[in-house]
Amino acid sequence: MWIYVALILIFLICFCYYSNNHLEVTSYNVKLGINEPLKIVHLSDLHSKQFGEGNCRLYNKIKALNPDIIVFTGDLIDDSAKRIDETTAFVAGLARLCPVFYIYGNHEHRTAYFDYIGKQLENGGVHVLKNSFKEIDVKNSHIVFLGLDENQASKENYKERRRGTFVYTDNEEYFNELKGRKGIKIVLSHFPENFDSSAGYRYKKYDFDIQFSGHAHGGQFRLPFFGGVFAPGQGIHPRFYQGLHGGCPYMIVSRGLGNSGFPLRLFNRPNIVVANIS
């Protein structure tokens, strides 16, 4: 009897370890009619987690993908502010592989190290976007990035959204400016629900090509025939917890890499997203 109980416990421990530490690469194809294909690696919600010393396993996995561009959509650290120097050094190391574009998430805003994180990343060659634009040329394509810094950071904000009293930041001026720029237009937004939300501003109504987002942690648990269980800002059975959504514009949602608050993922391994643009 007890040996079977022990075996079940060992299996559950191994399964949980695997679910939370074995990296999974998910690829999506987006057709924009460009002449030379682009590969964008999308990372999000590391939350200070380590995949090997100095995140060497994560780094090597990304390097092997040979990306043209890397985007990181926030929550690099947890609000406990653990491993700030290690995690910012990791992202700076990625910037030696290819251009890296980074936006802040809600957890960066909750720490006293908000400015420090940005300076460390910028000193490492990372493009830190805070309601700002950056244009680059890669493989015969001109790309315009808009990185949004949305005002949805505090725990009180979550309560206000549940009550329906939260006042969303109006980012229309940035989207109007983006509309007038030439090239592939990419929006970085931490919060996927803002792509199409009846409560806030629907980003999908604007003129751009792809939005990259995170925050939802893949619903934390992914259950067969149900999908993601819960995401902050979306609640039970969230609509935008992973995957490719929309079309002209598109949105790609990362399930994220680490955990925050609740320390366990189920059927929801740490996620590296590859967007193949053609």
Side-chain angles (χ1 to χ4, degrees):
M1 171 67 177
W2 290 110
I3 191 168
Y4 293 113
V5 172
L7 288 173
I8 290 170
L9 286 174
I10 291 170
F11 171 79
L12 290 174
I13 291 169
C14 292
F15 175 73
C16 289
Y17 181 84
Y18 176 83
S19 295
N20 288 265
N21 292 280
H22 197 276
L23 294 160
E24 180 178 40
V25 177
T26 309
S27 296
Y28 303 103
N29 298 320
V30 178
K31 293 187 179 297
L32 298 180
I34 62 176
N35 293 325
E36 192 171 357
L38 291 170
K39 182 185 288 185
I40 299 178
V41 165
H42 176 202
L43 309 172
S44 197
D45 299 88
L46 184 62
H47 287 286
S48 306
K49 186 172 175 60
Q50 295 270 293
F51 294 91
E53 185 176 354
N55 267 308
C56 60
R57 285 199 294 117
L58 179 56
Y59 177 88
N60 290 334
K61 195 87 168 179
I62 296 166
K63 183 178 180 180
L65 292 169
N66 194 29
D68 299 305
I69 296 167
I70 297 170
V71 296
F72 197 116
T73 52
D75 284 359
L76 173 62
I77 64 161
D78 226 347
D79 54 12
S80 61
K82 294 184 298 185
R83 303 191 183 104
I84 289 180
D85 291 330
E86 293 93 328
T87 50
T88 53
F90 159 69
V91 179
L94 295 177
R96 293 191 285 273
L97 298 177
C98 65
V100 177
F101 296 85
Y102 169 88
I103 59 168
Y104 298 100
N106 50 301
H107 278 258
E108 287 92 340
H109 275 282
R110 291 180 192 171
T111 77
Y113 301 95
F114 181 85
D115 292 331
Y116 178 78
I117 293 166
K119 287 179 182 177
Q120 289 291 94
L121 292 173
E122 288 176 340
N123 290 341
V126 177
H127 301 288
V128 178
L129 301 180
K130 185 182 178 185
N131 292 330
S132 57
F133 297 85
K134 180 68 179 180
E135 302 192 20
I136 63 167
D137 293 301
V138 179
K139 286 188 171 179
N140 297 315
S141 289
H142 186 70
I143 306 172
V144 184
F145 287 90
L146 165 60
L148 295 173
D149 186 38
E150 295 138 311
N151 181 24
Q152 298 171 221
S154 71
K155 294 177 182 177
E156 181 59 32
N157 290 158
Y158 290 119
K159 296 177 184 177
E160 290 171 348
R161 278 189 281 172
R162 285 198 297 269
R163 294 193 298 262
T165 59
F166 182 76
V167 179
Y168 284 78
T169 302
D170 189 349
N171 290 309
E172 186 169 13
E173 63 174 302
Y174 303 114
F175 284 101
N176 286 340
E177 183 174 345
L178 181 63
K179 181 180 180 179
R181 301 202 181 197
K182 303 295 183 182
I184 299 171
K185 299 170 186 176
I186 294 177
V187 173
L188 305 182
S189 165
H190 184 62
F191 302 94
E193 60 267 29
N194 291 348
F195 183 72
D196 185 14
S197 170
S198 59
Y201 292 89
R202 296 184 176 186
Y203 294 167
K204 75 172 189 177
K205 71 181 181 181
Y206 296 111
D207 177 20
F208 63 95
D209 295 298
I210 310 172
Q211 173 178 321
F212 289 94
S213 296
H215 186 60
H217 291 205
Q220 202 66 47
F221 296 174
R222 289 190 301 162
L223 302 180
F225 310 109
F226 187 82
V229 173
F230 176 83
Q234 297 185 70
I236 300 295
H237 200 194
R239 179 182 175 192
F240 302 123
Y241 65 93
Q242 66 172 7
L244 179 65
H245 302 268
C248 299
Y250 296 91
M251 176 173 67
I252 295 175
V253 182
S254 167
R255 300 197 315 270
L257 292 159
N259 292 314
S260 173
F262 195 81
L264 180 65
R265 291 169 170 256
L266 284 180
F267 307 105
N268 181 25
R269 285 158 50 194
N271 188 210
I272 300 170
V273 169
V274 176
N276 297 301
I277 315 298
S278 62

